Amino acid sequence: MEHSGGRRRPTIKDVAAVAGVSRGTVSRVLNGGHWVSPEALTAVQAAIRSTGYAANRHARSLVTGRANSVAFLLTEPTQLLFEDPNFSVLLRGAADALAKRDMPLLLMVAGTAEERRRVTDYVTAGHVDGVLLISSHAEDPVVASLLREQVPVVACGTPLGYEGKVGYVAADDIAGAREMVRHLRDTGRRHIATITGPLDTPGGVQRLQGYRDELGADYDEGLVAHGDYSRLGGQRAMAELLAARPEIDGVFVASDLMAAGALATLATHDRRVPEDVAVGGFDDSWLAATLVPALTTMRQPFERISSEMVRVLGEVINGEQPATVILPTTLVRRDST
């Protein structure tokens, strides 16, 4: 290691050779160790000490091009961030998972065309290393822009139109919907309606598919009403169903927030729950247990979803192929069925 008559400065290559890892792994350790296994981290730190390697932090950041932060991107109207309890749980889970890697999380909301433009400009300028896409719609222009600029992205739920291009972590919406409809049938309900989420979202499409699959030959298009994942949307959809099909004795609602709206409408129409109409939701957000009656629902493992999203995004940032993770849901029985 001689240089100009003296000992040359050790390089990343030297550290990698001593540690028995790739130069990329050494670079990740030097850049904060965010996406490195504990074993590799220990080996690299020991190699740095034994070789006497020293790096200039500013120069390192210029070389790696890393921003050391991740965006939590919600492509919904701003009010849903505060109204829908699922988003806060996912946000907290993602922030906790990133905190273990000593990385900050940037919250971004892009519910309008102008907001989407600003967010896309900011992200593609290199201010974050990757994006956790928390809500996505079919053929989402934000996703197209991020992919075009080669920004690492991982979605919450199936990214409709981008399967195979974007990694994602999702609850098993189809199986969960089927189990809820099966539960409603097991309670003796024979005229089971559904209130869907938006049909350009994975939950809207796949929970409707599960409902339809479980009913089979008994599926009736007239028992389907469409909502928008809001409480008001659930109220309106339930009113439409009661006006069109007063014989309804059960309803599967594709989110707890819409189910809260459905319960309010049933109360104003003097329909007892569950005696006259059984109601099942989807999510098991904190809201479900506080409703009157308490809501039977399908639990999504939100903490696991957010931590898995962070893990998969780390892999994509490090150049690995996008992965798909499907997690099971659980039926939580309460007083509404």
Side-chain angles (χ1 to χ4, degrees), residues 180 183-184 250-256 259 278-282 295-298 336-337:
M180 179 57 75
H183 170 66
L184 290 171
V251 58
F252 163 49
V253 190
S255 78
D256 290 351
V279 179
F282 204 104
L295 184 67
T296 293
T297 188
M298 297 305 302
S336 68
T337 59

Side-chain angles (χ1 to χ4, degrees), residues 17 23 50 55 70 76 83 86 155 169 232 237 278 305-306 310 327:
R23 280 176 287 180
S50 67
V70 167
E76 298 288 354
E83 183 183 14
N86 299 335
V169 181
L232 181 58
I305 288 172
S306 54
V310 169
L327 300 172

Side-chain angles (χ1 to χ4, degrees), residues 140-215:
D140 191 331
V142 171
V143 180
S145 297
L146 297 180
L147 287 177
R148 186 169 56 250
E149 297 296 327
Q150 298 183 318
V151 176
V153 182
V154 170
C156 179
T158 308
L160 301 178
Y162 297 101
E163 300 91 337
K165 298 179 181 178
V166 174
Y168 65 94
V169 181
D172 194 335
D173 287 319
I174 296 175
R178 293 196 68 155
E179 185 172 1
M180 179 57 75
V181 174
R182 189 159 56 247
H183 170 66
L184 290 171
R185 280 184 141 179
D186 288 346
T187 65
R189 311 299 162 155
R190 292 296 174 263
H191 305 285
I192 302 171
T194 189
I195 298 174
T196 77
L199 295 185
D200 65 345
T201 65
V205 172
Q206 294 175 349
R207 292 168 203 172
L208 174 59
Q209 181 180 333
Y211 164 85
R212 184 169 190 162
D213 290 349
E214 188 62 30
L215 289 177

Side-chain angles (χ1 to χ4, degrees), residues 206-253:
Q206 294 175 349
R207 292 168 203 172
L208 174 59
Q209 181 180 333
Y211 164 85
R212 184 169 190 162
D213 290 349
E214 188 62 30
L215 289 177
D218 294 331
Y219 174 77
D220 182 344
E221 188 73 37
L223 290 172
V224 177
H226 303 297
D228 59 2
Y229 286 144
S230 73
R231 188 187 298 256
L232 181 58
Q235 288 179 314
R236 290 171 173 168
M238 192 72 247
E240 292 172 14
L241 288 169
L242 291 175
R245 303 294 289 271
E247 73 274 17
I248 287 171
D249 59 4
V251 58
F252 163 49
V253 190

